[in-house]
Amino acid sequence: MNTADPNIDRVVDAPSDNFVYRVLPRWLWPHAQLARWDRPIGWQLLMWPCFWSSALAANALAAEGRLNVPLFIFHLVLFFVGSVAMRGAGCTYNDLVDHDIDNLVARTRSRPLPSGRISRRNAKIFMVVQSLVGLGVLLCFNGFSILLGILSLAVVAIYPFAKRFTDWPQLFLGLAFSWGGLMGWAGLQGSLSLAAILVYVGAVAWTIGYDTIYAHQDREDDALVGVRSTARLFDRDTKIWLMGLYGLTLVLLLSAFLSAGAAFPAIIGLFVAAGLFAWQIKVLDIDDGAQCLALFKSNSRVGLIIFLGLVAAIPFA
């Protein structure tokens, strides 16, 4: 172990003051980096559609006088734990699939697998452990939700390969990352509805938008190694596409809220989110990698605001 340089065991695009580097022993760092614990934005973005859908279902149940508040809160805890575990398992799987590609891209070359700080065998074991945690969370839900969660694995399995056969890998990420838009409603209601489907599709559009911004960091390297993305596809028209994608997100979420009878605080949350979307589009510079990363991360605030609006609407149901 090299103790002379504290940065040698880190990845270049993770904050150096993260708890991973302050609390965990150094031998655990490669595992934490595989799971992206040093970059919490991923599990946050995975979690928000779960929270939106669950809170929207809570609004609908409150209007009928059937809301079980402790169960709603318990489900939020489960979605938090499940998001951290399954995002970590997904990232580990993605890194195993992209091992060779990551070694060719400047931003990803310092990750544990291409840098040789963890073996493929240990990475696979860690992926299984995280998946078992996710399975434990899933088994806490009703039978319909368990079946729905299992179905999501098909999309999750395809996503890492999408950049090899389509210019729209962000669509496949959206299909996987937005699954919580169905799960939250199903967890409380035991079924699906138009409102849940609208949340899901809206979250897919949102994911394509924010991950396009993220992908602009690697646009030049991706072109050299043949990795496809919406960042390369949209290129200088990215702002126009973002207007459409973010606009579609807002329209679909508004339709979902109205369909489920959510009260005015939920609508106010959407208006605030619309302002944040407009700001992202206005200031975006696709040639500034650091800014692209910052704007990508700002979407967690969007998710939080929409969720808080839905929670604030529950007493008015």
Side-chain angles (χ1 to χ4, degrees):
M1 181 183 297
N2 188 330
T3 58
D5 183 356
N7 296 314
I8 198 167
D9 290 336
R10 305 192 184 190
V11 290
V12 297
D13 59 346
S16 60
D17 62 344
N18 187 272
F19 87 95
V20 163
Y21 307 115
R22 290 184 285 105
V23 175
L24 298 184
R26 184 167 292 213
W27 66 269
L28 269 179
W29 288 9
H31 297 79
Q33 291 162 351
L34 276 176
R36 309 295 197 270
W37 293 344
D38 53 345
R39 281 167 285 178
I41 182 62
W43 64 255
Q44 292 168 2
L45 293 173
L46 179 62
M47 181 184 72
W48 290 127
C50 306
F51 274 33
W52 297 349
S53 184
S54 188
L56 187 59
N59 273 268
L61 289 170
E64 300 170 1
R66 298 193 296 118
L67 176 60
N68 183 334
V69 175
L71 181 63
F72 170 52
I73 295 173
F74 178 56
H75 280 191
L76 295 182
V77 173
L78 290 176
F79 284 131
F80 162 70
V81 175
S83 295
V84 175
M86 292 312 296
R87 189 262 185 147
C91 286
T92 305
Y93 172 62
N94 189 76
D95 282 7
L96 284 164
V97 172
D98 286 348
H99 190 165
D100 293 334
I101 291 177
D102 284 346
N103 201 38
L104 300 174
V105 177
R107 187 178 60 82
T108 58
R109 195 173 295 135
S110 61
R111 288 178 178 175
L113 279 168
S115 65
R117 287 182 286 107
I118 193 170
S119 68
R120 289 183 63 85
R121 176 179 177 274
N122 286 343
K124 290 175 182 177
I125 292 172
F126 185 49
M127 179 182 68
V128 171
V129 170
Q130 293 175 94
S131 298
L132 289 175
V133 173
L135 176 61
V137 168
L138 182 61
L139 293 177
C140 293
F141 289 97
N142 58 54
F144 180 78
S145 299
I146 293 172
L147 176 61
L148 194 61
I150 292 172
L151 291 175
S152 72
L153 296 178
V155 183
V156 172
I158 293 171
Y159 164 66
F161 301 97
K163 62 175 72 71
R164 294 166 169 81
F165 63 80
T166 178
D167 291 324
W168 290 85
Q170 280 69 27
L171 170 61
F172 286 86
L173 178 68
L175 293 173
F177 246 56
S178 304
W179 204 262
L182 304 175
M183 292 293 294
W185 185 280
L188 287 179
Q189 297 275 10
S191 63
L192 289 179
S193 70
L194 176 61
I197 293 170
L198 289 170
V199 169
Y200 175 64
V201 180
V204 171
W206 179 50
T207 305
I208 297 171
Y210 68 61
D211 202 62
T212 296
I213 295 175
Y214 183 83
H216 272 292
Q217 297 176 92
D218 301 326
R219 192 174 71 251
E220 294 180 2
D221 282 341
D222 286 349
L224 290 174
V225 300
V227 169
R228 301 160 76 173
S229 72
T230 49
R232 292 184 59 199
L233 178 66
F234 300 165
D235 197 30
R236 299 296 161 182
D237 293 328
T238 292
K239 288 192 175 187
I240 296 173
W241 279 94
L242 287 177
M243 289 178 193
L245 289 164
Y246 283 164
L248 180 61
T249 299
L250 293 167
V251 169
L252 290 171
L253 290 182
L254 176 61
S255 299
F257 293 2
L258 294 176
S259 174
F264 69 93
I267 312 302
I268 293 173
L270 280 183
F271 274 108
V272 177
L276 291 176
F277 283 152
W279 168 75
Q280 287 182 39
I281 295 169
K282 183 178 188 311
V283 305
L284 175 64
D285 178 359
I286 63 173
D287 297 316
D288 185 341
Q291 190 222 41
C292 287
L293 180 60
L295 291 178
F296 162 74
K297 290 181 176 180
S298 73
N299 278 281
S300 187
R301 292 197 293 273
V302 174
L304 174 62
I305 287 167
I306 293 173
F307 171 65
L308 291 178
L310 284 165
V311 171
I314 291 175
F316 298 93

